[in-house]
Amino acid sequence: MLKRLFFVAVLCLGLPCSSYGENRDVWKQSFRAGEIDGWVGYGGDSVCQIVQEPTAHKNALLTTFSDTSPDAWAHRGIRIDLKEGISRNAFKYLHFEYRIDRPAKSFGCFLQDEENNMWRVFFGPVRTGKWARIAVKESDFRFGWGEKPPGNRAAKIVRLYLFVETPEVNTGAQFTLFVDNVTLSKDAPPAQIIEPFAAGPIAPRERYLLLDSRLIDTTENARLAVGQVTKHPANPLFGQDRPWEKALHHMYANVVFDKEDRLYKLWYFTTISGPPRQVDWGEHVTPGPLAPKEKKQGNFATLYAVSRDGIRWEKPALDVYHYKGQPTNIVVWGTHGTGVFIDLNDSDSQRRYKRIAGRHPHGFLDAAFSADGIHWGKRFPIAKVRGDTHNNALWVPELEKYVAFTREYPPPGIRTVQRLESENFVNWSTPVEVLRGPIEAQTYSMPVFRYADIYLGLIAIFHTTGDLHGRVTTELAWSPDTKVWRRIDQGQQLIPLSEKVDDINWGCIYAAASPVVLKNEIRIYYSGQKKTHDWNDGWLCLATLRLDGWAGYVPRDDSQVAVLVTDPVLCAGKTLRVTADVRAGGSMKVSVLDKAGKVLTQGAALTTAATDVVAVDLSSYQGQRVHVRFEFRKTQVYSFRFGK
């Protein structure tokens, strides 16, 4: 039987895991057994003690500290000394439960070996106010510093540091951090303790995406998987064919379909000057008569293109900036990672188009307004943040605020997604971290958009190790409110990289902001790159997705029936319509249950792909709250709605 100990030497003897757990006596026993040499507060004024945590009514290790620090950052937490060293080959995972009372930038962990080498990892995001669990792989740790060269794994671990990085320093803020069940394990960690979304009945909506975890009551033999895109046969839609387009490697494309003008509009990013070996084309670019009179910042530019059908694009000659005296499609100069959107909520026509962008050199985020997306007013600062990413913003009606997403780069060099908000697009909150990956798969950028009353994020993942080293993939995340985010099918690419070296989709893929939803498909524009992350050529490309096909439930085992039951939803129509892909030999049956789980009605089996197809007649149950039950084989089910 496994002992519930904090960190014990018997792990090296082959037990599956070792952990601290749940009562004060375990701490005393571990000392008596000589398994733990001690623990103390780590950093500044950190103090540790064992107390009963009030919300969970259990004993846990409490660390209290402030953000007082002589440095520009503050790491505060606990240090655990082991009586005997533990081999790094003896465990694959570190996971622990925690509750902290204030926001923190990130969690960090150091492993110190017997030869005084330090191995480190930073991870997050940090949840506030509720118990949560964080897990990190042993392979995530990277050499930090010490007497031995990187790569030495022979020395045993004798000391562990668990800590948070405070958002600021020397503000007088006081923190309380509870930690429990810190575990080193060879086996995969248990399911995450995730801070739940707001409780209560599910609000009626036009369409219910099953990727929204708030909808799910129970599942059997079912898992959530990202959908399958189709890359357009016309790819690439365009490449670098203007002399000022020196490196479209990221592009950071922004695509909108302007319904008034019946026109696709695109804003994209180029480097005018690249590495020293490249010619400085920036010296040939000069402001035209329509350019705003503002100080030049770096040799980066935002370009503009239009299309009637979204496939064939034109780069108009405009009088905003000139190249060697001739008009260009440059509309903004000196911005890094511009995000542009049309704001239909602003009554001021001069502010119809809104823009946020980073600066060069990095360190600030700016905003600007335009009546047409071509002629922009002067930029003004909105936040102090690194911002060297695809900055993007949108209006969030539930909050009645603008929300923007940018990037920070905290130690030890892990890219993180930051969020800020504003009521007027002029005065903004301080950026707060909302998403972070491990150091080997970093969250490079995340264009965010609203779809079916929730929010989706197209995460660019920058890989620093393994077969994908230096390459960028695109994954999916979702949020009910833009504040709390969940990864979907983590590690699976939404827009797959090519396996063919030198293909324009082999090196990097950056999804555009934002997808264009048509009657029969979703268009996801993206930039493709042949090589790894660097100053390289880039191309505009297009992938399409079936309606609602972002992610859906599939059987874990195709030979068995999968079952999914929703939480109660208000029956607001005469029919239940579903969207799903049914493969050859597959089927799906939909039933409607009352609150007790009794079948009220069910439809005939569906054996072909369905988009908004009537699955069940609900004429007799309008106005009632019902569960929806899906039984399926060889099927991916995405969504449902109530039809009038």
Side-chain angles (χ1 to χ4, degrees), residues 287-355:
L290 301 179
K293 303 300 186 289
E294 57 189 5
K295 184 179 179 181
K296 180 179 176 181
Q297 295 180 10
N299 285 335
F300 298 97
T302 300
L303 313 182
Y304 180 68
V306 295
S307 173
R308 290 292 177 187
D309 60 5
I311 307 298
R312 295 175 290 272
W313 290 85
E314 301 175 7
K315 301 175 182 180
L318 305 169
D319 257 343
V320 185
Y321 287 91
H322 291 169
Y323 173 77
K324 293 185 177 181
Q326 298 301 313
T328 71
N329 67 328
I330 300 173
V331 294
V332 183
W333 182 271
T335 54
H336 190 111
T338 296
V340 177
F341 73 103
I342 299 177
D343 183 10
L344 301 179
N345 298 285
D346 197 327
S347 58
D348 186 347
S349 62
Q350 298 303 305
R351 295 162 50 116
R352 183 170 184 249
Y353 290 80
K354 291 180 170 62
R355 183 189 92 214

Side-chain angles (χ1 to χ4, degrees), residues 41-240:
Y42 165 60
D45 54 1
S46 299
V47 177
C48 295
Q49 58 181 318
I50 305 169
V51 300
Q52 186 177 72
E53 194 279 324
T55 64
H57 305 291
K58 65 176 181 178
N59 288 319
L61 183 63
L62 168 65
T63 305
T64 57
F65 52 88
S66 72
D67 63 1
T68 302
S69 176
D71 303 309
W73 44 264
H75 292 168
R76 302 290 182 263
I78 58 175
R79 188 192 84 193
I80 301 102
D81 298 330
L82 306 181
K83 190 73 172 181
E84 296 183 9
I86 296 176
S87 168
R88 288 187 65 184
N89 296 322
F91 64 97
K92 293 183 178 179
Y93 300 93
L94 162 68
H95 52 91
F96 60 93
E97 298 165 16
Y98 72 92
R99 187 176 78 82
I100 190 169
D101 66 331
R102 305 175 69 98
K105 289 184 71 174
S106 64
F107 262 109
C109 181
F110 294 161
L111 299 177
Q112 186 174 353
D113 68 27
E114 57 193 346
E115 295 179 343
N116 206 34
N117 300 308
M118 196 74 78
W119 308 80
R120 62 186 182 179
V121 65
F122 288 80
F123 44 91
V126 180
R127 309 296 183 198
T128 305
K130 294 182 180 292
W131 278 97
R133 177 180 290 124
I134 273 188
V136 62
K137 294 180 180 178
E138 185 276 333
S139 59
D140 290 343
F141 285 86
R142 295 291 177 266
F143 183 82
W145 58 86
E147 301 173 358
K148 295 290 184 181
N152 175 37
R153 291 177 53 90
K156 292 184 177 180
I157 302 303
V158 296
R159 185 170 290 157
L160 168 71
Y161 299 79
L162 280 178
F163 57 89
V164 297
E165 182 177 346
T166 63
E168 299 179 88
V169 296
N170 301 321
T171 68
Q174 299 288 325
F175 294 76
T176 60
L177 170 65
F178 288 93
V179 175
D180 196 17
N181 292 328
V182 183
T183 304
L184 297 174
S185 174
K186 284 188 174 180
D187 298 325
Q192 291 286 315
I193 298 176
I194 298 177
E195 179 185 345
F197 295 126
I202 297 169
R205 62 184 81 161
E206 174 65 24
R207 185 177 301 274
Y208 298 84
L209 297 184
L210 292 174
L211 62 82
D212 182 342
S213 58
R214 297 171 299 175
L215 295 174
I216 309 304
D217 183 7
T218 62
T219 63
E220 299 175 21
N221 185 40
R223 67 176 182 88
L224 185 61
V226 294
Q228 183 175 350
V229 304
T230 300
K231 293 177 181 176
H232 200 279
N235 285 344
L237 305 184
F238 69 73
Q240 300 174 194

Side-chain angles (χ1 to χ4, degrees), residues 75 105-110 120-125 136 140-142 163 165 385-389 406-418 433-445 460-464 487:
H75 292 168
K105 289 184 71 174
S106 64
F107 262 109
C109 181
F110 294 161
R120 62 186 182 179
V121 65
F122 288 80
F123 44 91
V136 62
D140 290 343
F141 285 86
R142 295 291 177 266
F163 57 89
E165 182 177 346
V385 67
R386 186 173 174 88
D388 59 333
T389 186
T406 183
R407 182 168 80 193
E408 195 50 89
Y409 204 60
I414 299 178
R415 296 163 174 88
T416 63
V417 177
Q418 305 277 318
E433 181 178 317
V434 292
L435 198 62
R436 168 192 296 232
I439 195 168
E440 76 271 15
Q442 301 179 30
T443 49
Y444 195 93
S445 62
I461 301 294
F462 175 57
H463 299 270
T464 61
R487 301 282 291 273

Side-chain angles (χ1 to χ4, degrees), residues 18-31:
S18 178
S19 65
Y20 162 75
E22 297 181 1
N23 65 68
R24 186 186 302 264
D25 289 338
V26 171
W27 287 94
K28 294 178 180 178
Q29 290 169 6
S30 66
F31 272 112

